[in-house]
Amino acid sequence: MARPMDAPVLVRAINVTKSFHGNQVLKGIDMEVRTGEVVVLLGPSGSGKTTFLRCINQLETIDGGRIWVDGDLMGYEDKGGVLHRLHDKKIASQRRGIGMCFQRFNLFPHKTALENVMEGPVQVKKTSKAEAEQRAIELLEQVGLGDKPAAYPAQLSGGQQQRVAIARALAMDPKLMLFDEPTSALDPELVGEVLKVMRDLAAKGMTMIVVTHEMGFAREVADRVVFMDGGVVVEEGPPSEVIGNPQHNRTRAFLSRMRQEEAAHGRPPTTVDLSDVPAE
Amino acid sequence: MSSISNDADRPGAIDARPVRHPGRWVAIAVIAVVVGMMVNSAMTNPRWNWSFAAEVMQQKPVLEGLLKGTIIGTVGAMIIGVGLGVLVAVMRLSDNPVLRYVAFAYTWFFRSMPRYVLLATMGSLGYLYPVVDLGVPFAQSLGLTFAQLDVNALSRGLMFGILGLGLSEAAYMAEIARAGILSVDKGQSEAAQALGMSPGQTMRRIILPQAMRVIVPPTGNETIAMVKDTSLLLAMSITTELFFQTQAIGTRTLKIMPAYVAACAWYLIVCSVLMVGQSYLEKYFGRGFGPMPKKTKQKITKIGADH
Ligand SMILES: Nc1ncnc2c1ncn2[C@@H]1O[C@H](COP(=O)(O)OP(=O)(O)OP(=O)(O)O)[C@@H](O)[C@H]1O
Ligand SMILES: [Mg+2]
């Protein structure tokens, strides 16, 4: 699934730092994601993966460094070398091109599946209701929920809710999708249906940054795996290298812990078996 | 395979004696006796004079007082109270420190004022400002007035009373609305923001509708309290109000008790109607949060099954 490495850069993060109450969580992250690329972020708990994703679409403000998405400097305007903080409304419009899926879905519980998907286009893009509904139905079909438009989130399983959440994000026609552990709140038997939707999305050429502990997904779908620990990028590369043949002790320790955990939970062991990863 | 070989040996449907609750029967008996005594006394003591109470309830000034002072007063005051209260709550939770302090000061002032005192004071504002000039700031000194308000006349009007009750109510509603807004999961506003919604849209479309689920029950409480507080309008010399009118008939006819009964009956009726309205509102704003009515039904059948 190698993608042309000359595709334009969509996300460029340079030396991103972020602290919470003096506790530095991101310690200078550099990352480039090209259009159409699927990047999987791996790392132990507390390594700053969620924080970094949230910085990209400005749910957190960064302390240092710069993030550009599709050429836009996120959150600021550079006027002759002096940064000016953007107004909330400008920031809101920068976020339109970025879809985000959360670990806990965060669907709007007072709206049906269809209304959840229509909300963004109607309110933000001012699409007509009829047009938005048409598109929402298509998207629900795309994620395999064509039969559930009238269901409220509370009436859906976790896997179904996460798929509605993906459809909701896609309704804004984002150029970039961010996934923060989209399957870790799900029962094991529901993980597959969400991963399938994400796999289809990747196959359609969507640019994606995915935080996940699903090694199978990382090996099959990711163009690149980035391993983070303690707020820095420890190593990155194609999955066959980072997962198959990690260079750093921290990566190795993390992967072997993952393997033990998955074995303990009765899931098929990941990594080592590289038969489905094309040789680089 | 086992000693249980045929159906006859296997336990069948349970036909057990229910737990006895003799205490409940004793309580019912006591209540029945007390209620019986009350009804008996009410029926036999002619001074209750039920027929006169019923007549008082239908008098034109009483009905007018009920409609204007009590019902319109409640509705008007609650519209101001809820609208302004939600606004103050949103200001209180805003990032803008100016708005936050203004909201705090508002709540501080109006919560500290007893309603009766507030209404009496507002009713006397005409003493300080007999007329209010409408125009640009410092219009009087600049000679730029567009219109004049006669505060003396205004302060005796129902509108002014509604305004007073509404301002006071807003301070309480602000705290209720704030609790409601804070009860909504932070993930909701993040999801809305991630879609590119502005802070205002997020508040209007996502946060407030969910906060309403928490806001409605105490607001019902406030509304019912407001029905009764409309009797305080008298502090502003507003007399088109239920209690004053019934009392006036009572004093005039020297049948004070039946007049009070008439007032009580009307308050009971109005509040009962409001409680029905509240349960509909709760159902509306509870949509998507599981089938509430079913739960209530289960509870009822469970109580029944306990006997
Ligand atoms: N809002 C916050 N306030 C204070 N500390 C925070 C906040 N958000 C995150 N942190 C801290 O930042 C660190 C990194 O958190 P983050 O959620 O980014 O980790 P993560 O890599 O996503 O971990 P996990 O795999 O458990 O989700 C943690 O130590 C966490 O306690
Ligand atoms: Mg995380």
Side-chain angles (χ1 to χ4, degrees):
Chain A
M1 241 199 247
R3 290 173 206 272
M5 288 317 284
D6 53 358
V9 171
L10 187 67
V11 182
R12 169 172 286 141
I14 297 179
N15 197 24
V16 172
T17 55
K18 170 77 190 170
S19 304
F20 291 109
H21 320 295
N23 165 29
Q24 195 169 33
V25 173
L26 300 180
K27 300 175 179 164
I29 304 277
D30 296 324
M31 194 178 293
E32 264 185 17
V33 180
R34 289 173 185 276
T35 303
E37 229 187 341
V38 177
V39 172
V40 165
L41 272 183
L42 288 181
S45 182
S47 56
K49 309 179 295 291
T50 298
T51 306
F52 181 64
L53 275 197
R54 289 164 59 84
C55 287
I56 293 177
N57 77 346
Q58 308 196 52
L59 291 176
E60 306 287 354
T61 48
I62 59 179
D63 303 333
R66 305 279 188 278
I67 299 175
W68 288 269
V69 176
D70 204 15
D72 285 339
L73 178 60
M74 300 304 281
Y76 299 91
E77 193 177 358
D78 193 339
K79 287 184 187 161
V82 182
L83 287 190
H84 294 257
R85 179 83 183 141
L86 289 178
H87 196 272
D88 282 346
K89 285 206 174 128
K90 281 271 177 56
I91 291 178
S93 80
Q94 283 189 331
R95 289 193 186 109
R96 284 179 203 182
I98 305 173
M100 183 155 194
C101 290
F102 301 85
Q103 193 170 0
R104 307 227 46 103
F105 331 134
N106 298 352
L107 287 181
F108 306 133
H110 60 305
K111 292 179 183 292
T112 63
L114 188 71
E115 288 167 347
N116 264 277
V117 181
M118 287 168 62
E119 185 70 9
V122 171
Q123 294 301 321
V124 179
K125 288 214 257 175
K126 310 294 177 198
T127 313
S128 76
K129 278 219 166 121
E131 200 181 321
E133 184 173 336
Q134 174 79 27
R135 173 100 169 97
I137 290 170
E138 283 168 24
L139 284 166
L140 284 176
E141 272 163 11
Q142 183 184 329
V143 299
L145 290 171
D147 56 336
K148 298 274 184 202
Y152 283 100
Q155 299 164 333
L156 296 172
S157 74
Q160 290 170 331
Q161 288 187 53
Q162 190 62 289
R163 287 185 282 148
V164 174
I166 294 174
R168 176 176 70 178
L170 291 177
M172 292 298 290
D173 294 315
K175 19 184 207 256
L176 170 68
M177 284 286 288
L178 308 173
F179 291 88
D180 186 12
E181 302 200 34
T183 58
S184 63
L186 299 178
D187 290 340
E189 71 268 25
L190 302 177
V191 169
E193 63 190 43
V194 172
L195 291 183
K196 179 180 177 302
V197 168
M198 292 169 61
R199 206 173 268 139
D200 293 347
L201 206 53
K204 283 186 180 164
M206 176 61 77
T207 315
M208 295 160 56
I209 304 179
V210 185
V211 175
T212 185
H213 293 308
E214 296 295 330
M215 293 300 159
F217 179 85
R219 276 183 296 126
E220 287 167 41
V221 184
D223 298 300
R224 197 145 49 88
V225 172
V226 175
F227 177 75
M228 280 175 66
D229 192 6
V232 295
V233 172
V234 175
E235 74 177 289
E236 64 178 302
S240 55
E241 285 172 23
V242 177
I243 300 176
N245 184 22
Q247 298 303 304
H248 286 74
N249 283 336
R250 283 197 275 180
T251 321
R252 269 186 227 124
F254 171 75
L255 289 171
S256 80
R257 224 172 26 245
M258 290 298 302
R259 245 170 275 144
Q260 279 168 9
E261 254 172 53
E262 289 200 352
H265 289 87
R267 296 221 219 142
T270 51
T271 76
V272 192
D273 169 21
L274 290 176
S275 53
D276 56 345
V277 176
E280 303 286 317
Chain B
M1 188 180 87
S2 73
S3 59
I4 303 170
S5 47
N6 58 42
D7 280 353
D9 293 339
R10 294 159 69 87
I14 289 176
D15 182 21
R17 299 286 153 84
V19 177
R20 303 280 171 208
H21 296 287
R24 289 182 193 173
W25 294 108
V26 173
I28 289 173
V30 170
I31 292 168
V33 169
V34 171
V35 170
M37 282 162 67
M38 279 160 51
V39 169
N40 180 49
S41 129
M43 301 301 275
T44 53
N45 185 343
R47 288 196 198 178
W48 278 101
N49 204 344
W50 293 100
S51 57
F52 185 72
E55 233 173 273
V56 172
M57 282 177 76
Q58 296 160 39
Q59 293 304 307
K60 194 152 170 278
V62 170
L63 288 176
E64 199 194 346
L66 172 73
L67 179 70
K68 287 197 181 153
T70 308
I71 293 179
I72 295 180
T74 301
V75 171
M78 285 312 291
I79 287 174
I80 296 174
V82 172
L84 191 59
V86 169
L87 182 71
V88 170
V90 171
M91 285 165 63
R92 186 88 189 266
L93 295 170
S94 145
D95 288 336
N96 181 335
V98 179
L99 294 181
R100 267 204 316 269
Y101 286 120
V102 169
F104 175 79
Y106 183 92
T107 316
W108 165 76
F109 180 80
F110 281 99
R111 272 206 309 186
S112 309
M113 284 291 117
R115 268 187 196 162
Y116 189 80
V117 177
L118 177 71
L119 292 180
T121 311
M122 282 180 70
S124 312
L125 274 181
Y127 169 73
L128 289 181
Y129 304 102
V131 287
V132 167
D133 296 324
L134 294 185
V136 295
F138 310 108
Q140 266 175 335
S141 335
L142 299 169
L144 283 172
T145 14
F146 304 136
Q148 282 193 334
L149 285 179
D150 182 349
V151 176
N152 267 321
L154 203 67
S155 67
R156 282 189 295 275
L158 181 59
M159 291 302 287
F160 212 58
I162 289 176
L163 182 67
L165 287 174
L167 289 175
S168 164
E169 184 57 38
Y172 296 92
M173 280 309 305
E175 290 297 282
I176 291 171
R178 190 162 69 103
I181 291 170
L182 289 176
S183 77
V184 179
D185 180 38
K186 208 164 138 273
Q188 290 294 308
S189 65
E190 290 182 349
Q193 283 176 307
L195 285 177
M197 292 170 83
S198 67
Q201 282 176 321
T202 304
M203 185 54 76
R204 257 185 306 113
R205 301 279 312 170
I206 307 302
I207 308 297
L208 282 180
Q210 294 182 60
M212 287 308 280
R213 205 166 59 93
V214 173
I215 293 174
V216 167
T219 302
N221 218 17
E222 292 292 310
T223 309
I224 286 169
M226 183 59 77
V227 171
K228 298 173 293 180
D229 280 358
T230 51
S231 57
L232 300 177
L233 287 172
L234 191 59
M236 268 183 165
S237 322
I238 295 168
T239 54
T240 41
E241 169 272 314
L242 177 62
F243 185 61
F244 180 85
Q245 293 300 334
T246 46
Q247 204 182 18
I249 294 178
T251 353
R252 223 179 319 119
T253 58
L254 295 178
K255 292 175 183 162
I256 292 176
M257 198 55 196
Y260 283 170
V261 167
C264 290
W266 268 127
Y267 282 123
L268 277 172
I269 291 169
V270 171
C271 290
S272 307
V273 170
L274 285 174
M275 282 166 76
V276 174
Q278 179 184 348
S279 79
Y280 278 105
L281 276 182
E282 279 178 23
K283 234 174 263 170
Y284 176 77
F285 286 110
R287 70 196 188 285
F289 285 90
M292 276 258 286
K294 215 185 242 169
K295 242 191 231 158
T296 326
K297 226 187 273 166
Q298 277 170 359
K299 227 191 243 165
I300 291 165
T301 41
K302 213 173 134 209
I303 292 169
D306 273 353
H307 293 285

